[in-house]
Amino acid sequence: MADDLDRDKVAKAYARWAPIYDMVFGQVFERGRKAAIAAVEATGGGRILEVGVGTGISLPDYRRTNRLFGVDISEPMLRKAQERVVAQKLDNVEVLSVMDATKLAFPDGWFDVVVAQYVITAVPDPEGTLDEFARVVKPGGEIILVNHIGAESGARKIFEAAFAPIARKLGWRPEFPWERLARWVEKAPGIRFIDRKPMPPLGHFSLIRFGRVAGAPSLRAAE
């Protein structure tokens, strides 16, 4: 289900954000980032793909025993990430690469964990992106998301709908219902829902975990 965000426009939006992203969003999203990394570490870690790695703000918080791979649509954001890797001597970061989240250049079942923080509402094709996460995570592995989930009713839903045209110019969609994720996991072969926890600020964000069933065929094979 493609959506109304345009890949090139999103890339341009995040190129504009790159110089100030950490200053604007660093503190706002910190608890969600920390929670996502804690969830990754609770799985035992290993080979980890962070999609939408951005400026690499989360990379220093992973254990050095993990092997980290980061991809993003924005080259300017990744330049900031590479500067951070060099400055902090993060020798466990193996790859930082510009990549389309719906066309990940990795083998099936390659990663122990795929983590995406504040990403699913900022990609043109959320379901196609999740399909790629399911493809590259190994059986027994997890997909861990932190994301804004749109309101189902009330004043916040009205505000999100009104704000949507502006938000799209900034690079994301605010009116993203939980139902889209629920429908996706119902249809995704070998993927199960594990958990959803509300996150600050105000519980408008959620930490969401999906697992690939051990012994499940690859998504492509199942199709």
Side-chain angles (χ1 to χ4, degrees):
M1 184 191 297
D3 213 302
D4 54 356
L5 282 179
D6 177 84
R7 182 187 187 278
D8 291 337
K9 289 180 180 178
V10 170
K12 289 177 182 177
Y14 281 91
R16 292 192 296 269
W17 281 118
I20 59 171
Y21 185 89
D22 289 0
M23 180 176 64
V24 174
F25 295 110
Q27 287 295 111
V28 174
F29 291 159
E30 182 178 18
R31 290 183 66 181
R33 286 197 312 272
K34 298 284 189 183
I37 292 168
V40 170
E41 302 294 6
T43 70
R47 185 185 289 136
I48 297 164
L49 172 64
E50 184 167 322
V51 179
V53 69
T55 64
I57 192 170
S58 63
L59 295 177
D61 295 327
Y62 291 97
R63 290 178 189 153
R64 293 297 182 96
T65 53
N66 294 309
R67 298 169 61 192
L68 305 180
F69 296 68
V71 301
D72 202 281
I73 197 172
S74 171
E75 185 175 357
M77 296 281 271
L78 284 175
R79 285 200 295 268
K80 292 285 187 180
Q82 187 60 55
E83 290 170 4
R84 179 175 264 114
V85 167
V86 172
Q88 300 193 29
K89 297 181 173 60
L90 303 177
D91 55 8
N92 61 328
V93 178
E94 299 198 4
V95 169
L96 290 174
S97 180
V98 175
M99 207 172 289
D100 185 333
T102 62
K103 299 174 182 177
L104 297 173
F106 299 109
D108 294 359
W110 184 246
F111 294 101
D112 297 287
V113 184
V114 176
V115 58
Q117 303 173 40
Y118 312 104
V119 166
I120 293 301
T121 57
V123 292
D125 183 1
E127 288 79 7
T129 298
L130 290 165
D131 286 346
E132 274 293 87
F133 294 178
R135 180 184 68 80
V136 300
V137 75
K138 72 178 186 180
E142 289 195 18
I143 299 167
I144 296 173
L145 313 177
V146 176
N147 231 93
H148 170 77
I149 299 296
E152 297 181 3
S153 61
R156 183 160 71 90
K157 182 176 182 179
I158 295 170
F159 170 79
E160 288 170 350
F163 182 63
I166 297 172
R168 276 161 174 70
K169 292 179 181 179
L170 298 174
W172 68 86
R173 64 175 72 74
E175 73 305 5
F176 189 85
W178 169 253
E179 181 184 0
R180 286 187 73 163
L181 293 174
R183 285 200 307 264
W184 173 78
V185 74
E186 285 178 1
K187 297 177 181 178
I191 301 295
R192 65 187 180 94
F193 169 71
I194 298 175
D195 193 22
R196 175 188 175 189
K197 293 181 180 178
M199 298 296 302
L202 303 175
H204 295 173
F205 295 80
S206 292
L207 175 69
I208 302 154
R209 295 167 54 218
F210 300 110
R212 184 169 167 194
V213 178
S218 71
L219 192 65
R220 288 175 180 171
E223 292 173 345

